[in-house]
């Protein structure tokens, strides 16, 4: 999120800086407008309130929304830790 240059122990690549900047843009848009999306960014779909399989946003050099692949695992842990 724009602070990689502070960590000197790692040799950051241009891709690292690009991913950092992308996340920074999404975060700033969300703070300003309550919506992470902007014209220059791939669409980050809104989560649906009762969806059992919400889309995930993969922030990378080619950022994109993707279907969640491990939802069953998360539902298991949710049941395990949040028993009523």
């Amino acid at each position: 999120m724009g602070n990689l240059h502070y960590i000197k122990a790692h040799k950051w690549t241009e891709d690292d800086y690009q991913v950092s900047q992308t996340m920074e843009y999404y975060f700033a848009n969300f703070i300003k407008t309550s919506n992470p999306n902007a014209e220059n960014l791939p669409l980050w779909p809104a989560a649906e309130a009762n969806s059992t399989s919400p889309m995930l946003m993969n922030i990378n050099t080619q950022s994109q929304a993707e279907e969640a692949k491990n939802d069953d695992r998360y539902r298991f842990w949710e049941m395990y830790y949040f028993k009523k």
Side-chain angles (χ1 to χ4, degrees), residues 38-77:
E39 191 174 304
N40 60 335
L41 294 168
L43 179 66
W44 187 325
E48 296 176 22
N50 295 314
S51 174
T52 58
S53 187
M55 296 291 285
L56 303 176
M57 192 63 187
N58 181 355
I59 309 293
N60 208 325
T61 54
Q62 297 296 315
S63 298
Q64 63 185 14
E66 300 176 351
E67 288 187 31
K69 296 178 179 114
N70 298 308
D71 280 356
D72 289 338
R73 177 175 60 180
Y74 300 130
R75 280 190 283 279
F76 167 79
W77 287 114

